[in-house]
Each structure stands twice: as C-alpha cells, then as structure tokens.
C-alpha cells in the first residue's frame, strides 16, 4: 500500500458504511480540498493519524479535553472505575460525587441532573422551562448553537419579528412556530417579542457564543436578558455546554455574575466521555421526574466511567491560576497564528485577525485592528475560501485546527510553553 494514502482509503471505506463517512457532519472536512485524517491516538497536546503523522491538536474533541489527551490522573481514575464495572442502571457513588462536587463549587445551583450529551441537556432544559412556566415559546438567538434539538434547528423567517422556519428537513412547522429568532445584541427585538407574544417560556443563549466563531456579547446584554425574563415571568437559560468550566470554573454565569434560572453543561463536564447536564435551583429542578411532572430519563445517564472522567477532570481545573495560565497561553498561540497568517496574506487571499477569549481562539478574515463581531451579520461573507488555503497549509505543517471556518480553536493544559515553541517552529 502507498503509505500516504491510508487516510483517504479509510475515508472512502467509511463513506460506504455511514453517510458522508462520518458520525457528526463537521468531521467530514466539507468544503476543504483535503480529506479527513483518521486519528489513531492522542497524547497531551498531540494527535497522531493512521499514517503516523503527528499534529498539535487545537480541536481537542471540540472542547471536552481541557487537560489534553490521556491526562495521567484522569486515566488512573477511569481505570479504577473501569475495574469495578461500567454500567448498572442503578444508583452508584460516582454520579453522587460528581453532583456533590459541582453543587458545592457553583453557588448558584442546588441540583444537577446528568444526561449523555449537550443536545439532551438543552432538550430537557427547554422542556423544564415550559413545564415550570406553563408557556410554550422560546427565544433563540441567530448564531447560537444548542445542539440538534428539533426546536433549535431554526433560522429567522421572513415575516414578523421573531418568526422562524426550520433550518433542517424533518422538523414540523408547528415545532418551528414555538421558537422565536432574534439577533444577538438586539435588545429591541427581544422587547418586541415580549410585547407581541404572551406565552414566552424562556430565552436560551450561549453566554459566550462560540459556535459561529466567537461573538462575545456585552455583559450588559446578558443583564438585560436577566431583567426582561424576570419582568415577564419567563426563564433565562444559559447554554454553557462550551463555556461551562472553560471561561472559569463557574462558567460565564460565574464570570459575569449574571445568574440564569437554568444552566446546561456538556463537553468538559465529562472529561472527554459523553456527559451533559441540566442544573438550577432546587425549586426549578424538582419539577423533573420523579419529583415533578416534567419527564426525563436515560438508560446510560450518570454512567460511572464517564462520571469518574468528569470528576477527576473538574478536580484538576478547579483553580483560578489554572484559568489564568490557560488564557495567557491562548493569547500566545493566537498571536503566533495571527503573525503567520498575516505574513502569508497574499497566498491566503485575506488578512486575518485571531480573536481569543479565555482558552478559545478564532481566526477571522478581518484586519487585526477591526472591531470584533457581535452578530452573524457582522461576519465577512467569504470565510471558506481563505480558510481552505490556510487550513490545508497548517495541516501539512502538523497543526490541526477544527476543520470548519466557524469553529473555534481550543487550548488545553497540555499546550505547554514547549508545545508553543513547537508551534512557532512548525509555522
Ligand atoms: C456542543 C454544543 C451543544 C451540543 O452538545 P452535543 O454534546 O454535541 O450534543 C449544545 N450547545 C452548545 C453551546 C454547544 O457548544
């Protein structure tokens, strides 16, 4: 076999057995002039493909691996858990310990319920908000991603303020009608929704929108959402699936001191295993079954192996110094990438700015001195073409970014200064 064609061969084969060859669309490298790499193993900040090529990994499983691959402490705890058994469908201590640890360290939540993904967490949070308020409509922002929940795969419609239509096939018009879409940072649009509709159960937002690039919001906008929901007896949901345990241990809610009624978690909370969670004050949480009338369940929820990965990860990162160091390293990485992008702007076809926030970074085709975008309307129209050029070039150099121009880069504990030196050498 020709050595360099292994990744391509596996991808050809994968396309026979699964749609597009992938189990989640973004992995398909759609729109890129290169095909996906098949990853054989990961260690620290690095991943290795089936051809033996080594990459610095800035995707880190799209965020969960805040300690990098195979953190020794997490691995040790997981092995211990594994040696006892890995699923009972019964009460067990790992899920108790993780719940207790989180509630003890996040003052604005009393209770938490574990599920298996961020999508599931959002689905339950929306049902809970509707169950508590006995109202139906949810306000969602253009440019925020909340997983593949039917009522969240919705885009702005052409009619009145807030009207919406499905952004995927297979979603009923009735479902789409229960979601109102408004632009980020647009207070008037939110006010208009509340004056036009009286059955708004809640507002859901990524407090740090990080799924359409980085669209950082003013804290005052989050405060405004807190006030208007309170005034209208609706609930505020912070989807902290990316920002939770990343922007600070207490997520954006802790960092901004804006306290939502319901929070959703995912990604880091499972330390790389499939875990999501819904959290809130007890008065809200106890509306969930078996105490309350909002039904929710899961055969594998609170799986002890996943709980041990989450617990050991959270214990390591629960330290303000950890976050400060991660942020400093992220700025160094963003600077190095921005410098390289702008030295090569003629080949790439655009100047670039690399925005960073906490341990996330995002290359955007703007002049470095231009303003950071806050809404999707402010994004440059052509992202794919220049992205393809630099993405392919970086991949050749052994630098692996999330394979889509709208995805952010993730920095972990394993991205040490030595790794940053390696990055600078590879650039
Ligand atoms: C990743 C993500 C989700 C979906 O989580 P999955 O585990 O992929 O289902 C939901 N909301 C936000 C903000 C996310 O970043």
């Amino acid at each position: 076999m020709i050595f360099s064609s292994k990744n391509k061969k596996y991808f050809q084969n994968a396309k026979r057995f699964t749609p597009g060859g992938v189990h989640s669309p973004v992995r398909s490298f759609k729109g890129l002039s290169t095909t996906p790499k098949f990853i054989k193993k990961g260690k620290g900040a690095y991943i290795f493909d089936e051809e033996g090529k080594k990459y610095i990994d800035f995707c880190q499983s799209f965020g969960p691996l805040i300690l990098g691959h195979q953190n020794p402490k997490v691995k040790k705890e997981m092995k211990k858990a594994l040696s006892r058994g890995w699923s009972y469908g019964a009460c067990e201590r790992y899920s108790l310990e993780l719940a207790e640890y989180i509630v003890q360290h996040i003052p604005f939540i009393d209770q938490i319920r574990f599920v298996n993904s961020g999508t599931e967490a959002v689905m339950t949070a929306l049902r809970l908000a509707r169950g508590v308020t006995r109202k139906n409509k949810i306000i969602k922002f253009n440019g925020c991603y909340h997983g593949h929940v039917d009522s969240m795969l919705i885009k702005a419609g052409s009619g009145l303020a807030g009207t919406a239509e499905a952004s995927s096939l297979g979603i009923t018009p009735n479902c789409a009608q229960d979601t109102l879409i408004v632009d980020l940072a647009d207070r008037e649009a939110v006010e208009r929704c509340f004056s036009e509709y009286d059955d708004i159960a809640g507002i859901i937002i990524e407090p740090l929108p990080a799924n359409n690039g980085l669209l950082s919001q003013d804290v005052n906008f989050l405060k405004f959402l807190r006030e208007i929901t309170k005034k209208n007896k609706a609930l505020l949901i912070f989807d902290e699936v990316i920002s939770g345990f990343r922007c600070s241990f207490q997520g954006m809610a802790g960092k901004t001191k804006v306290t939502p009624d319901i929070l959703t978690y995912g990604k880091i909370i499972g330390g790389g295993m499939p875990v999501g969670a819904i959290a809130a004050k007890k008065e809200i949480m106890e509306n969930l079954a078996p105490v309350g009338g909002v039904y929710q369940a899961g055969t594998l929820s609170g799986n002890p192996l996943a709980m041990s990965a989450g617990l050991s990860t959270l214990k390591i990162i629960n330290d303000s110094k950890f976050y400060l160091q991660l942020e400093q390293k992220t700025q160094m990485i963003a600077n190095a990438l921005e410098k390289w992008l702008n030295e090569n702007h003629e080949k790439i076809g655009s100047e670039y700015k690399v925005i960073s926030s906490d341990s996330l970074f995002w290359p955007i085709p703007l002049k470095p001195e231009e303003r950071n975008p806050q809404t999707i309307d402010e994004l440059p129209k052509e992202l794919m073409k220049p992205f393809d050029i630099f993405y392919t070039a970086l991949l050749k150099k052994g630098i692996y970014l999330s394979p889509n121009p709208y995805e952010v880069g993730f920095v972990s504990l394993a991205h040490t200064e030595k790794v940053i030196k390696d990055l600078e050498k590879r650039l």
Side-chain angles (χ1 to χ4, degrees):
M1 185 185 351
I2 303 164
F3 196 56
S4 69
S5 66
K6 263 191 179 176
N7 287 316
K8 275 191 188 140
K9 205 183 132 212
Y10 284 126
F11 189 51
Q12 282 305 325
N13 221 3
K15 283 197 278 192
R16 288 174 55 203
F17 300 111
T18 193
V22 292
H23 299 281
S24 189
V26 71
R27 299 177 197 174
S28 70
F29 281 42
K30 196 173 168 184
L32 293 175
S33 45
T34 176
T35 55
K37 304 299 170 195
F38 271 68
I39 306 306
K40 191 171 185 179
K41 68 169 188 179
K43 193 83 205 283
Y46 293 90
I47 47 175
F48 302 77
D49 71 13
E50 290 282 354
E51 290 165 15
K53 190 172 164 83
K54 180 179 178 183
Y55 307 84
I56 305 177
D57 179 17
F58 290 113
C59 179
Q60 295 290 337
S61 191
F62 290 99
L65 300 177
I66 196 166
L67 300 174
H69 298 273
Q70 292 200 56
N71 177 275
K73 284 191 190 141
V74 177
K75 194 172 174 179
K76 193 172 145 211
E77 289 303 316
M78 285 177 78
K79 275 186 167 167
K80 222 187 320 181
L82 189 65
S83 72
R84 296 185 188 170
W86 48 88
S87 192
Y88 313 111
C91 295
E92 56 75 51
R93 268 175 46 197
Y94 282 107
S95 48
L96 165 61
E97 280 176 31
L98 182 57
E100 191 176 8
Y101 189 80
I102 291 171
V103 168
Q104 276 174 351
H105 292 95
I106 303 187
F108 41 85
I109 64 181
D110 294 337
Q111 294 191 336
I112 190 162
R113 165 80 43 97
F114 296 117
V115 293
N116 305 293
S117 70
T119 295
E120 254 189 88
V122 168
M123 188 178 80
T124 300
L126 299 177
R127 188 181 304 140
L128 183 57
R130 289 173 169 134
V132 169
T133 59
R134 310 290 164 105
K135 299 189 221 180
N136 297 314
K137 288 190 163 41
I138 301 284
I139 297 178
K140 175 200 178 288
F141 294 95
N142 240 335
C144 284
Y145 177 69
H146 302 292
H148 62 103
V149 180
D150 277 10
S151 68
M152 295 287 103
L153 294 180
I154 303 290
K155 59 184 181 198
S158 46
L160 286 170
T163 53
E165 53 193 66
S167 61
S168 161
L169 289 174
I171 291 167
T172 64
N174 281 349
C175 176
Q177 274 172 20
D178 285 333
T179 305
L180 303 169
I181 298 283
V182 298
D183 281 331
L184 282 161
D186 189 346
R187 295 181 186 212
E188 272 173 33
V190 176
E191 280 164 353
R192 244 180 289 136
C193 285
F194 278 106
S195 61
E196 276 170 37
Y197 302 96
D198 57 10
D199 70 337
I200 297 174
I203 297 181
I204 187 166
I205 187 169
E206 285 181 79
L208 174 64
N211 278 288
N212 266 285
L214 270 172
L215 302 172
S216 298
Q217 301 297 298
D218 283 342
V219 178
N220 286 334
F221 184 63
L222 300 178
K223 284 186 184 151
F224 159 78
L225 298 178
R226 178 61 286 180
E227 281 158 21
I228 197 165
T229 41
K230 208 170 234 165
K231 205 171 85 193
N232 290 279
K233 297 196 167 51
L235 299 185
L236 179 61
I237 305 169
F238 274 5
D239 181 354
E240 297 239 37
V241 171
I242 278 196
S243 54
F245 309 104
R246 181 165 292 276
C247 297
S248 76
F249 191 83
Q250 297 178 3
M252 280 298 278
K255 198 171 166 176
T256 60
K257 306 262 189 298
V258 179
T259 308
D261 299 295
I262 302 174
L263 295 108
T264 56
Y265 296 110
K267 302 198 168 102
I268 291 173
I269 200 171
M273 296 293 282
V275 181
I278 309 97
K281 288 284 184 198
K282 190 172 166 187
E283 307 86 82
I284 289 181
M285 287 302 281
E286 288 197 337
N287 286 279
L288 286 174
V291 190
V294 178
Y295 191 69
Q296 185 277 329
T299 303
L300 292 168
S301 292
N303 168 277
L305 187 60
M307 296 288 107
S308 79
L311 183 61
S312 48
T313 299
L314 296 197
K315 281 184 174 168
I316 297 171
I317 67 178
N318 191 5
D319 170 7
S320 57
K321 272 205 304 285
F322 172 87
Y323 288 95
L324 196 65
Q325 285 167 2
L326 213 52
E327 189 179 357
Q328 285 166 350
K329 288 189 294 181
T330 306
Q331 280 165 10
M332 289 164 75
I333 290 162
N335 289 345
L337 285 172
E338 188 176 282
K339 182 167 165 270
W340 177 83
L341 283 161
N342 287 322
E343 279 165 5
N344 292 279
H345 77 272
E346 278 174 12
K347 248 183 282 165
I348 296 165
S350 179
E351 284 183 88
Y352 262 85
K353 174 174 183 149
V354 182
I355 301 174
S356 74
S357 180
D358 304 293
S359 51
L360 303 171
F361 66 85
W362 186 50
I364 173 172
L366 286 178
K367 290 191 172 61
E369 66 277 11
E370 280 181 90
R371 197 176 96 93
N372 289 354
Q374 286 192 320
T375 69
I376 54 171
D377 293 336
E378 292 175 63
L379 299 182
K381 292 289 161 280
E382 182 55 72
L383 260 61
M384 199 63 208
K385 223 168 107 189
F387 180 79
D388 181 29
I389 298 168
F390 84 73
Y391 190 84
T392 311
L394 290 178
L395 208 57
K396 275 205 190 104
K397 295 174 184 289
I399 299 165
Y400 190 93
L401 302 181
S402 307
N404 179 288
Y406 294 95
E407 298 283 350
V408 294
F410 297 91
V411 178
S412 78
L413 175 72
H415 293 87
T416 57
E417 284 185 21
K418 197 170 150 207
V419 174
I420 297 173
K421 288 249 156 64
D422 185 21
L423 169 71
E424 287 164 350
K425 213 168 73 201
R426 285 169 189 247
L427 284 171

